[in-house]
Amino acid sequence: MARYLLNRLGQSLVLLLLVSLIGFSVLLLAPGGPMSQFTLTPGISQADLDRIAAQMGLDRPIIVQYAKWLWLLLQGDWGNSYRDGQPVLSIIFSHLPATLLLMGTSTLIAIGLGTTIGIMSAVWRHSTFDHASAVAAMVALSVPTFWFGLIAIYFFSLYLGWFPAGNMYRIGDGSLLNYLHHLVLPACVLALVDVAIWSRYMRTATLDVIHQDFVRTARAKGLTRRRVLLKHVVGNALLPMITLAGLQLPTLLGGALVTETVFTWPGMGRLFLDSLGYSDYPVVMGLLMFSAVLVLIGNLLADILTAIVDPRIRLA
């Protein structure tokens, strides 16, 4: 286990280095660059722009800027925002709880509905329910998330008036019920695509387990169909889903970016788009690195948890 963790740590560091290098280069070489926000200031001259660029170190070669940024990052200094001068880490941590709440709720919804639909589709194979769930999954995977969000806002907020159209809470009301009321629509929209993915994977995994020898042996012993399904089939079919949960983190982060923008949810996804609009590159790079670390940690935890649950798997 220790050797495996060291190997994964080395691989993760290399990946983070590549992500930081590519992200830093793309941002600086993008049209406009980090100085674009200052060009909009009324009355600013070219001399003023040159002076600001020199103060910020933006007049140096890209490799020098990257080396300085990386060195400060390794020391725990993620830089300060161009927009308000606040430390990048404090800005990220102020938006992190909202994203974790949204992602955690949507994940629970996706796992609960997805596994249930997948198991039912496998048990009632080629039934009307199976075909209907397959069509629904195809539609959910094909239609963009923002479209589902806009339709949900129109139907459930504007037409029926059941849920708020956006924001995390109503100003002046910090009750738990108010938070939950605002959470329902964005969490369900974010979970929609993941429900489709989980249901399809769970159906395949369940069908694979149903035809195994130990399931036939359990049936031959006279166990009820329900006990065979719950004790022998579902438990073994869920093992691949642990790995899937780790691989779904990038999808969740990408979906959260769109969902938070549509529902004006004050999380990291909306912060990322706002920072891009303001050319606030220190915050953008901080969010990029923070998200990459979350994805790597999620994949590592999924591998370790799979090995713990299934003793037949050995990490090496």
Side-chain angles (χ1 to χ4, degrees), residues 27 30-40 81-83 257 261 268-285 287:
L27 286 177
M35 293 298 297
S36 59
Q37 59 174 328
F38 299 105
T39 59
L40 301 177
S81 170
Y82 289 165
R83 189 166 22 166
L257 187 148
T261 302
M268 295 197 304
R270 186 182 174 195
L271 174 65
F272 184 83
L273 288 181
D274 289 345
S275 299
L276 279 178
Y278 282 96
S279 298
D280 197 352
Y281 291 170
V283 176
V284 173
M285 281 302 302
L287 289 169

PDB file of all heavy atoms in Angstrom, residues 27 30-40 81-83 257 261 268-285 287:
ATOM      1  N   LEU A  27      -3.607  30.911 -20.684  1.00  0.00           N
ATOM      2  CA  LEU A  27      -4.172  32.158 -20.171  1.00  0.00           C
ATOM      3  C   LEU A  27      -3.360  33.369 -20.611  1.00  0.00           C
ATOM      4  O   LEU A  27      -3.917  34.394 -21.020  1.00  0.00           O
ATOM      5  CB  LEU A  27      -4.245  32.113 -18.641  1.00  0.00           C
ATOM      6  CG  LEU A  27      -5.332  31.223 -18.040  1.00  0.00           C
ATOM      7  CD1 LEU A  27      -5.248  31.215 -16.527  1.00  0.00           C
ATOM      8  CD2 LEU A  27      -6.714  31.676 -18.477  1.00  0.00           C
ATOM      9  N   ALA A  30      -3.711  33.984 -24.428  1.00  0.00           N
ATOM     10  CA  ALA A  30      -5.068  34.248 -24.914  1.00  0.00           C
ATOM     11  C   ALA A  30      -5.196  35.712 -25.329  1.00  0.00           C
ATOM     12  O   ALA A  30      -4.477  36.587 -24.821  1.00  0.00           O
ATOM     13  CB  ALA A  30      -6.085  33.917 -23.829  1.00  0.00           C
ATOM     14  N   PRO A  31      -6.093  36.010 -26.296  1.00  0.00           N
ATOM     15  CA  PRO A  31      -6.287  37.408 -26.730  1.00  0.00           C
ATOM     16  C   PRO A  31      -6.657  38.314 -25.561  1.00  0.00           C
ATOM     17  O   PRO A  31      -7.465  37.966 -24.721  1.00  0.00           O
ATOM     18  CB  PRO A  31      -7.446  37.295 -27.728  1.00  0.00           C
ATOM     19  CG  PRO A  31      -7.404  35.882 -28.220  1.00  0.00           C
ATOM     20  CD  PRO A  31      -6.924  35.063 -27.045  1.00  0.00           C
ATOM     21  N   GLY A  32      -6.044  39.455 -25.527  1.00  0.00           N
ATOM     22  CA  GLY A  32      -6.281  40.420 -24.459  1.00  0.00           C
ATOM     23  C   GLY A  32      -5.278  40.310 -23.340  1.00  0.00           C
ATOM     24  O   GLY A  32      -4.618  41.279 -22.988  1.00  0.00           O
ATOM     25  N   GLY A  33      -5.131  39.130 -22.779  1.00  0.00           N
ATOM     26  CA  GLY A  33      -4.169  38.923 -21.718  1.00  0.00           C
ATOM     27  C   GLY A  33      -4.596  39.561 -20.419  1.00  0.00           C
ATOM     28  O   GLY A  33      -5.653  40.205 -20.314  1.00  0.00           O
ATOM     29  N   PRO A  34      -3.786  39.425 -19.374  1.00  0.00           N
ATOM     30  CA  PRO A  34      -4.159  39.964 -18.062  1.00  0.00           C
ATOM     31  C   PRO A  34      -4.227  41.481 -18.008  1.00  0.00           C
ATOM     32  O   PRO A  34      -4.797  42.039 -17.070  1.00  0.00           O
ATOM     33  CB  PRO A  34      -3.055  39.423 -17.135  1.00  0.00           C
ATOM     34  CG  PRO A  34      -1.913  39.132 -18.048  1.00  0.00           C
ATOM     35  CD  PRO A  34      -2.500  38.713 -19.345  1.00  0.00           C
ATOM     36  N   MET A  35      -3.656  42.159 -19.004  1.00  0.00           N
ATOM     37  CA  MET A  35      -3.690  43.620 -18.997  1.00  0.00           C
ATOM     38  C   MET A  35      -4.982  44.174 -19.585  1.00  0.00           C
ATOM     39  O   MET A  35      -5.193  45.391 -19.561  1.00  0.00           O
ATOM     40  CB  MET A  35      -2.492  44.163 -19.780  1.00  0.00           C
ATOM     41  CG  MET A  35      -1.136  43.904 -19.133  1.00  0.00           C
ATOM     42  SD  MET A  35      -0.990  44.708 -17.519  1.00  0.00           S
ATOM     43  CE  MET A  35      -1.137  46.420 -17.978  1.00  0.00           C
ATOM     44  N   SER A  36      -5.838  43.317 -20.129  1.00  0.00           N
ATOM     45  CA  SER A  36      -7.044  43.799 -20.802  1.00  0.00           C
ATOM     46  C   SER A  36      -7.978  44.537 -19.846  1.00  0.00           C
ATOM     47  O   SER A  36      -8.691  45.453 -20.256  1.00  0.00           O
ATOM     48  CB  SER A  36      -7.782  42.630 -21.453  1.00  0.00           C
ATOM     49  OG  SER A  36      -8.152  41.662 -20.485  1.00  0.00           O
ATOM     50  N   GLN A  37      -7.983  44.156 -18.568  1.00  0.00           N
ATOM     51  CA  GLN A  37      -8.865  44.812 -17.611  1.00  0.00           C
ATOM     52  C   GLN A  37      -8.453  46.257 -17.353  1.00  0.00           C
ATOM     53  O   GLN A  37      -9.297  47.108 -17.061  1.00  0.00           O
ATOM     54  CB  GLN A  37      -8.860  44.036 -16.301  1.00  0.00           C
ATOM     55  CG  GLN A  37      -7.478  43.912 -15.672  1.00  0.00           C
ATOM     56  CD  GLN A  37      -7.520  43.264 -14.317  1.00  0.00           C
ATOM     57  OE1 GLN A  37      -8.494  43.416 -13.594  1.00  0.00           O
ATOM     58  NE2 GLN A  37      -6.470  42.540 -13.968  1.00  0.00           N
ATOM     59  N   PHE A  38      -7.157  46.543 -17.474  1.00  0.00           N
ATOM     60  CA  PHE A  38      -6.681  47.899 -17.203  1.00  0.00           C
ATOM     61  C   PHE A  38      -6.890  48.824 -18.398  1.00  0.00           C
ATOM     62  O   PHE A  38      -6.952  50.045 -18.231  1.00  0.00           O
ATOM     63  CB  PHE A  38      -5.199  47.866 -16.835  1.00  0.00           C
ATOM     64  CG  PHE A  38      -4.898  47.065 -15.603  1.00  0.00           C
ATOM     65  CD1 PHE A  38      -4.322  45.806 -15.711  1.00  0.00           C
ATOM     66  CD2 PHE A  38      -5.203  47.540 -14.343  1.00  0.00           C
ATOM     67  CE1 PHE A  38      -4.050  45.044 -14.583  1.00  0.00           C
ATOM     68  CE2 PHE A  38      -4.925  46.789 -13.203  1.00  0.00           C
ATOM     69  CZ  PHE A  38      -4.359  45.534 -13.328  1.00  0.00           C
ATOM     70  N   THR A  39      -6.976  48.258 -19.606  1.00  0.00           N
ATOM     71  CA  THR A  39      -7.161  49.099 -20.791  1.00  0.00           C
ATOM     72  C   THR A  39      -8.529  49.768 -20.818  1.00  0.00           C
ATOM     73  O   THR A  39      -8.729  50.745 -21.543  1.00  0.00           O
ATOM     74  CB  THR A  39      -6.975  48.260 -22.068  1.00  0.00           C
ATOM     75  OG1 THR A  39      -7.937  47.182 -22.074  1.00  0.00           O
ATOM     76  CG2 THR A  39      -5.570  47.674 -22.135  1.00  0.00           C
ATOM     77  N   LEU A  40      -9.474  49.249 -20.031  1.00  0.00           N
ATOM     78  CA  LEU A  40     -10.818  49.826 -19.995  1.00  0.00           C
ATOM     79  C   LEU A  40     -10.917  51.013 -19.060  1.00  0.00           C
ATOM     80  O   LEU A  40     -11.944  51.698 -19.022  1.00  0.00           O
ATOM     81  CB  LEU A  40     -11.839  48.759 -19.581  1.00  0.00           C
ATOM     82  CG  LEU A  40     -11.913  47.513 -20.478  1.00  0.00           C
ATOM     83  CD1 LEU A  40     -12.905  46.508 -19.897  1.00  0.00           C
ATOM     84  CD2 LEU A  40     -12.304  47.901 -21.891  1.00  0.00           C
ATOM     85  N   SER A  81      -5.981  38.453  -6.015  1.00  0.00           N
ATOM     86  CA  SER A  81      -6.905  38.744  -7.103  1.00  0.00           C
ATOM     87  C   SER A  81      -6.590  40.092  -7.734  1.00  0.00           C
ATOM     88  O   SER A  81      -6.288  41.065  -7.038  1.00  0.00           O
ATOM     89  CB  SER A  81      -8.341  38.731  -6.583  1.00  0.00           C
ATOM     90  OG  SER A  81      -9.244  39.232  -7.545  1.00  0.00           O
ATOM     91  N   TYR A  82      -6.657  40.165  -9.064  1.00  0.00           N
ATOM     92  CA  TYR A  82      -6.495  41.439  -9.754  1.00  0.00           C
ATOM     93  C   TYR A  82      -7.670  42.365  -9.482  1.00  0.00           C
ATOM     94  O   TYR A  82      -7.527  43.583  -9.550  1.00  0.00           O
ATOM     95  CB  TYR A  82      -6.393  41.224 -11.266  1.00  0.00           C
ATOM     96  CG  TYR A  82      -5.108  40.580 -11.732  1.00  0.00           C
ATOM     97  CD1 TYR A  82      -5.004  40.041 -13.013  1.00  0.00           C
ATOM     98  CD2 TYR A  82      -3.982  40.531 -10.911  1.00  0.00           C
ATOM     99  CE1 TYR A  82      -3.825  39.464 -13.448  1.00  0.00           C
ATOM    100  CE2 TYR A  82      -2.803  39.952 -11.334  1.00  0.00           C
ATOM    101  CZ  TYR A  82      -2.727  39.415 -12.614  1.00  0.00           C
ATOM    102  OH  TYR A  82      -1.559  38.848 -13.049  1.00  0.00           O
ATOM    103  N   ARG A  83      -8.826  41.785  -9.187  1.00  0.00           N
ATOM    104  CA  ARG A  83     -10.046  42.587  -9.073  1.00  0.00           C
ATOM    105  C   ARG A  83     -10.136  43.334  -7.757  1.00  0.00           C
ATOM    106  O   ARG A  83     -10.441  44.527  -7.720  1.00  0.00           O
ATOM    107  CB  ARG A  83     -11.266  41.675  -9.251  1.00  0.00           C
ATOM    108  CG  ARG A  83     -12.557  42.419  -9.368  1.00  0.00           C
ATOM    109  CD  ARG A  83     -13.729  41.592  -9.869  1.00  0.00           C
ATOM    110  NE  ARG A  83     -13.620  40.165  -9.694  1.00  0.00           N
ATOM    111  CZ  ARG A  83     -14.648  39.337  -9.833  1.00  0.00           C
ATOM    112  NH1 ARG A  83     -15.843  39.832 -10.112  1.00  0.00           N
ATOM    113  NH2 ARG A  83     -14.502  38.045  -9.690  1.00  0.00           N
ATOM    114  N   LEU A 257     -20.170  24.095 -12.987  1.00  0.00           N
ATOM    115  CA  LEU A 257     -19.842  25.389 -13.585  1.00  0.00           C
ATOM    116  C   LEU A 257     -21.034  25.942 -14.351  1.00  0.00           C
ATOM    117  O   LEU A 257     -21.397  27.121 -14.209  1.00  0.00           O
ATOM    118  CB  LEU A 257     -18.631  25.226 -14.506  1.00  0.00           C
ATOM    119  CG  LEU A 257     -18.011  26.487 -15.111  1.00  0.00           C
ATOM    120  CD1 LEU A 257     -16.509  26.284 -15.288  1.00  0.00           C
ATOM    121  CD2 LEU A 257     -18.627  26.831 -16.466  1.00  0.00           C
ATOM    122  N   THR A 261     -23.879  28.886 -12.968  1.00  0.00           N
ATOM    123  CA  THR A 261     -24.074  30.094 -13.767  1.00  0.00           C
ATOM    124  C   THR A 261     -25.552  30.313 -14.072  1.00  0.00           C
ATOM    125  O   THR A 261     -26.063  31.429 -13.962  1.00  0.00           O
ATOM    126  CB  THR A 261     -23.281  29.984 -15.077  1.00  0.00           C
ATOM    127  OG1 THR A 261     -21.897  29.777 -14.773  1.00  0.00           O
ATOM    128  CG2 THR A 261     -23.428  31.252 -15.890  1.00  0.00           C
ATOM    129  N   MET A 268     -17.810  27.772  -6.898  1.00  0.00           N
ATOM    130  CA  MET A 268     -16.548  27.924  -7.607  1.00  0.00           C
ATOM    131  C   MET A 268     -16.750  28.005  -9.119  1.00  0.00           C
ATOM    132  O   MET A 268     -15.958  28.629  -9.826  1.00  0.00           O
ATOM    133  CB  MET A 268     -15.608  26.768  -7.267  1.00  0.00           C
ATOM    134  CG  MET A 268     -15.165  26.718  -5.820  1.00  0.00           C
ATOM    135  SD  MET A 268     -13.711  25.672  -5.576  1.00  0.00           S
ATOM    136  CE  MET A 268     -14.295  24.120  -6.272  1.00  0.00           C
ATOM    137  N   GLY A 269     -17.788  27.337  -9.641  1.00  0.00           N
ATOM    138  CA  GLY A 269     -18.033  27.392 -11.073  1.00  0.00           C
ATOM    139  C   GLY A 269     -18.375  28.789 -11.538  1.00  0.00           C
ATOM    140  O   GLY A 269     -17.830  29.277 -12.539  1.00  0.00           O
ATOM    141  N   ARG A 270     -19.267  29.434 -10.825  1.00  0.00           N
ATOM    142  CA  ARG A 270     -19.618  30.813 -11.185  1.00  0.00           C
ATOM    143  C   ARG A 270     -18.433  31.744 -10.965  1.00  0.00           C
ATOM    144  O   ARG A 270     -18.207  32.671 -11.752  1.00  0.00           O
ATOM    145  CB  ARG A 270     -20.815  31.256 -10.349  1.00  0.00           C
ATOM    146  CG  ARG A 270     -21.352  32.619 -10.749  1.00  0.00           C
ATOM    147  CD  ARG A 270     -22.501  33.033  -9.857  1.00  0.00           C
ATOM    148  NE  ARG A 270     -22.927  34.388 -10.144  1.00  0.00           N
ATOM    149  CZ  ARG A 270     -23.700  35.119  -9.346  1.00  0.00           C
ATOM    150  NH1 ARG A 270     -24.127  34.593  -8.210  1.00  0.00           N
ATOM    151  NH2 ARG A 270     -24.049  36.332  -9.660  1.00  0.00           N
ATOM    152  N   LEU A 271     -17.677  31.503  -9.918  1.00  0.00           N
ATOM    153  CA  LEU A 271     -16.480  32.312  -9.675  1.00  0.00           C
ATOM    154  C   LEU A 271     -15.490  32.172 -10.825  1.00  0.00           C
ATOM    155  O   LEU A 271     -14.856  33.157 -11.226  1.00  0.00           O
ATOM    156  CB  LEU A 271     -15.826  31.876  -8.357  1.00  0.00           C
ATOM    157  CG  LEU A 271     -14.488  32.527  -8.010  1.00  0.00           C
ATOM    158  CD1 LEU A 271     -14.651  34.029  -7.784  1.00  0.00           C
ATOM    159  CD2 LEU A 271     -13.878  31.882  -6.764  1.00  0.00           C
ATOM    160  N   PHE A 272     -15.361  30.962 -11.374  1.00  0.00           N
ATOM    161  CA  PHE A 272     -14.442  30.733 -12.485  1.00  0.00           C
ATOM    162  C   PHE A 272     -14.836  31.561 -13.708  1.00  0.00           C
ATOM    163  O   PHE A 272     -13.989  32.227 -14.321  1.00  0.00           O
ATOM    164  CB  PHE A 272     -14.432  29.239 -12.832  1.00  0.00           C
ATOM    165  CG  PHE A 272     -13.454  28.863 -13.903  1.00  0.00           C
ATOM    166  CD1 PHE A 272     -12.122  28.633 -13.593  1.00  0.00           C
ATOM    167  CD2 PHE A 272     -13.866  28.745 -15.223  1.00  0.00           C
ATOM    168  CE1 PHE A 272     -11.220  28.288 -14.584  1.00  0.00           C
ATOM    169  CE2 PHE A 272     -12.976  28.394 -16.213  1.00  0.00           C
ATOM    170  CZ  PHE A 272     -11.645  28.166 -15.892  1.00  0.00           C
ATOM    171  N   LEU A 273     -16.119  31.545 -14.063  1.00  0.00           N
ATOM    172  CA  LEU A 273     -16.567  32.307 -15.229  1.00  0.00           C
ATOM    173  C   LEU A 273     -16.458  33.812 -14.982  1.00  0.00           C
ATOM    174  O   LEU A 273     -16.060  34.572 -15.882  1.00  0.00           O
ATOM    175  CB  LEU A 273     -18.007  31.933 -15.569  1.00  0.00           C
ATOM    176  CG  LEU A 273     -18.210  30.552 -16.190  1.00  0.00           C
ATOM    177  CD1 LEU A 273     -19.684  30.323 -16.497  1.00  0.00           C
ATOM    178  CD2 LEU A 273     -17.383  30.385 -17.455  1.00  0.00           C
ATOM    179  N   ASP A 274     -16.798  34.258 -13.790  1.00  0.00           N
ATOM    180  CA  ASP A 274     -16.660  35.682 -13.472  1.00  0.00           C
ATOM    181  C   ASP A 274     -15.203  36.121 -13.547  1.00  0.00           C
ATOM    182  O   ASP A 274     -14.897  37.204 -14.063  1.00  0.00           O
ATOM    183  CB  ASP A 274     -17.219  35.974 -12.082  1.00  0.00           C
ATOM    184  CG  ASP A 274     -18.732  35.874 -12.021  1.00  0.00           C
ATOM    185  OD1 ASP A 274     -19.357  35.863 -13.095  1.00  0.00           O
ATOM    186  OD2 ASP A 274     -19.281  35.781 -10.910  1.00  0.00           O
ATOM    187  N   SER A 275     -14.301  35.283 -13.047  1.00  0.00           N
ATOM    188  CA  SER A 275     -12.875  35.623 -13.074  1.00  0.00           C
ATOM    189  C   SER A 275     -12.343  35.654 -14.499  1.00  0.00           C
ATOM    190  O   SER A 275     -11.501  36.497 -14.832  1.00  0.00           O
ATOM    191  CB  SER A 275     -12.087  34.608 -12.239  1.00  0.00           C
ATOM    192  OG  SER A 275     -12.518  34.620 -10.897  1.00  0.00           O
ATOM    193  N   LEU A 276     -12.830  34.766 -15.353  1.00  0.00           N
ATOM    194  CA  LEU A 276     -12.435  34.814 -16.764  1.00  0.00           C
ATOM    195  C   LEU A 276     -12.917  36.104 -17.414  1.00  0.00           C
ATOM    196  O   LEU A 276     -12.195  36.723 -18.201  1.00  0.00           O
ATOM    197  CB  LEU A 276     -13.004  33.614 -17.515  1.00  0.00           C
ATOM    198  CG  LEU A 276     -12.262  32.287 -17.403  1.00  0.00           C
ATOM    199  CD1 LEU A 276     -13.008  31.205 -18.171  1.00  0.00           C
ATOM    200  CD2 LEU A 276     -10.832  32.423 -17.939  1.00  0.00           C
ATOM    201  N   GLY A 277     -14.149  36.503 -17.102  1.00  0.00           N
ATOM    202  CA  GLY A 277     -14.679  37.732 -17.671  1.00  0.00           C
ATOM    203  C   GLY A 277     -13.908  38.959 -17.251  1.00  0.00           C
ATOM    204  O   GLY A 277     -13.758  39.910 -18.040  1.00  0.00           O
ATOM    205  N   TYR A 278     -13.375  38.960 -16.030  1.00  0.00           N
ATOM    206  CA  TYR A 278     -12.595  40.082 -15.527  1.00  0.00           C
ATOM    207  C   TYR A 278     -11.094  39.918 -15.792  1.00  0.00           C
ATOM    208  O   TYR A 278     -10.308  40.757 -15.339  1.00  0.00           O
ATOM    209  CB  TYR A 278     -12.815  40.251 -14.024  1.00  0.00           C
ATOM    210  CG  TYR A 278     -14.113  40.935 -13.653  1.00  0.00           C
ATOM    211  CD1 TYR A 278     -15.233  40.191 -13.323  1.00  0.00           C
ATOM    212  CD2 TYR A 278     -14.220  42.319 -13.646  1.00  0.00           C
ATOM    213  CE1 TYR A 278     -16.434  40.798 -12.982  1.00  0.00           C
ATOM    214  CE2 TYR A 278     -15.409  42.947 -13.314  1.00  0.00           C
ATOM    215  CZ  TYR A 278     -16.511  42.180 -12.977  1.00  0.00           C
ATOM    216  OH  TYR A 278     -17.710  42.797 -12.647  1.00  0.00           O
ATOM    217  N   SER A 279     -10.703  38.850 -16.492  1.00  0.00           N
ATOM    218  CA  SER A 279      -9.286  38.542 -16.727  1.00  0.00           C
ATOM    219  C   SER A 279      -8.518  38.465 -15.409  1.00  0.00           C
ATOM    220  O   SER A 279      -7.363  38.895 -15.314  1.00  0.00           O
ATOM    221  CB  SER A 279      -8.644  39.603 -17.644  1.00  0.00           C
ATOM    222  OG  SER A 279      -9.266  39.606 -18.909  1.00  0.00           O
ATOM    223  N   ASP A 280      -9.188  37.928 -14.393  1.00  0.00           N
ATOM    224  CA  ASP A 280      -8.575  37.764 -13.072  1.00  0.00           C
ATOM    225  C   ASP A 280      -7.821  36.439 -13.056  1.00  0.00           C
ATOM    226  O   ASP A 280      -8.250  35.454 -12.454  1.00  0.00           O
ATOM    227  CB  ASP A 280      -9.658  37.795 -11.992  1.00  0.00           C
ATOM    228  CG  ASP A 280      -9.081  38.052 -10.604  1.00  0.00           C
ATOM    229  OD1 ASP A 280      -7.834  38.044 -10.477  1.00  0.00           O
ATOM    230  OD2 ASP A 280      -9.856  38.257  -9.657  1.00  0.00           O
ATOM    231  N   TYR A 281      -6.661  36.413 -13.705  1.00  0.00           N
ATOM    232  CA  TYR A 281      -5.946  35.166 -13.950  1.00  0.00           C
ATOM    233  C   TYR A 281      -5.406  34.480 -12.698  1.00  0.00           C
ATOM    234  O   TYR A 281      -5.344  33.249 -12.661  1.00  0.00           O
ATOM    235  CB  TYR A 281      -4.820  35.396 -14.958  1.00  0.00           C
ATOM    236  CG  TYR A 281      -5.327  35.683 -16.351  1.00  0.00           C
ATOM    237  CD1 TYR A 281      -4.490  36.117 -17.360  1.00  0.00           C
ATOM    238  CD2 TYR A 281      -6.674  35.508 -16.666  1.00  0.00           C
ATOM    239  CE1 TYR A 281      -4.962  36.376 -18.640  1.00  0.00           C
ATOM    240  CE2 TYR A 281      -7.157  35.770 -17.930  1.00  0.00           C
ATOM    241  CZ  TYR A 281      -6.300  36.208 -18.918  1.00  0.00           C
ATOM    242  OH  TYR A 281      -6.773  36.459 -20.180  1.00  0.00           O
ATOM    243  N   PRO A 282      -4.988  35.191 -11.671  1.00  0.00           N
ATOM    244  CA  PRO A 282      -4.581  34.480 -10.447  1.00  0.00           C
ATOM    245  C   PRO A 282      -5.703  33.620  -9.860  1.00  0.00           C
ATOM    246  O   PRO A 282      -5.463  32.486  -9.417  1.00  0.00           O
ATOM    247  CB  PRO A 282      -4.183  35.617  -9.497  1.00  0.00           C
ATOM    248  CG  PRO A 282      -3.751  36.714 -10.399  1.00  0.00           C
ATOM    249  CD  PRO A 282      -4.666  36.638 -11.574  1.00  0.00           C
ATOM    250  N   VAL A 283      -6.929  34.123  -9.864  1.00  0.00           N
ATOM    251  CA  VAL A 283      -8.056  33.350  -9.353  1.00  0.00           C
ATOM    252  C   VAL A 283      -8.364  32.183 -10.285  1.00  0.00           C
ATOM    253  O   VAL A 283      -8.656  31.064  -9.833  1.00  0.00           O
ATOM    254  CB  VAL A 283      -9.303  34.247  -9.183  1.00  0.00           C
ATOM    255  CG1 VAL A 283     -10.507  33.424  -8.743  1.00  0.00           C
ATOM    256  CG2 VAL A 283      -9.029  35.347  -8.166  1.00  0.00           C
ATOM    257  N   VAL A 284      -8.295  32.413 -11.597  1.00  0.00           N
ATOM    258  CA  VAL A 284      -8.551  31.343 -12.564  1.00  0.00           C
ATOM    259  C   VAL A 284      -7.545  30.210 -12.387  1.00  0.00           C
ATOM    260  O   VAL A 284      -7.910  29.026 -12.360  1.00  0.00           O
ATOM    261  CB  VAL A 284      -8.505  31.893 -14.002  1.00  0.00           C
ATOM    262  CG1 VAL A 284      -8.609  30.753 -15.011  1.00  0.00           C
ATOM    263  CG2 VAL A 284      -9.621  32.888 -14.235  1.00  0.00           C
ATOM    264  N   MET A 285      -6.263  30.544 -12.259  1.00  0.00           N
ATOM    265  CA  MET A 285      -5.238  29.518 -12.070  1.00  0.00           C
ATOM    266  C   MET A 285      -5.415  28.812 -10.726  1.00  0.00           C
ATOM    267  O   MET A 285      -5.212  27.593 -10.620  1.00  0.00           O
ATOM    268  CB  MET A 285      -3.856  30.148 -12.138  1.00  0.00           C
ATOM    269  CG  MET A 285      -3.366  30.429 -13.557  1.00  0.00           C
ATOM    270  SD  MET A 285      -3.304  28.957 -14.592  1.00  0.00           S
ATOM    271  CE  MET A 285      -2.196  27.896 -13.658  1.00  0.00           C
ATOM    272  N   LEU A 287      -8.274  28.300  -9.149  1.00  0.00           N
ATOM    273  CA  LEU A 287      -9.406  27.384  -9.295  1.00  0.00           C
ATOM    274  C   LEU A 287      -9.026  26.167 -10.134  1.00  0.00           C
ATOM    275  O   LEU A 287      -9.457  25.043  -9.849  1.00  0.00           O
ATOM    276  CB  LEU A 287     -10.584  28.116  -9.945  1.00  0.00           C
ATOM    277  CG  LEU A 287     -11.294  29.150  -9.074  1.00  0.00           C
ATOM    278  CD1 LEU A 287     -12.266  29.983  -9.905  1.00  0.00           C
ATOM    279  CD2 LEU A 287     -12.046  28.455  -7.943  1.00  0.00           C
TER     280      LEU A 287
END
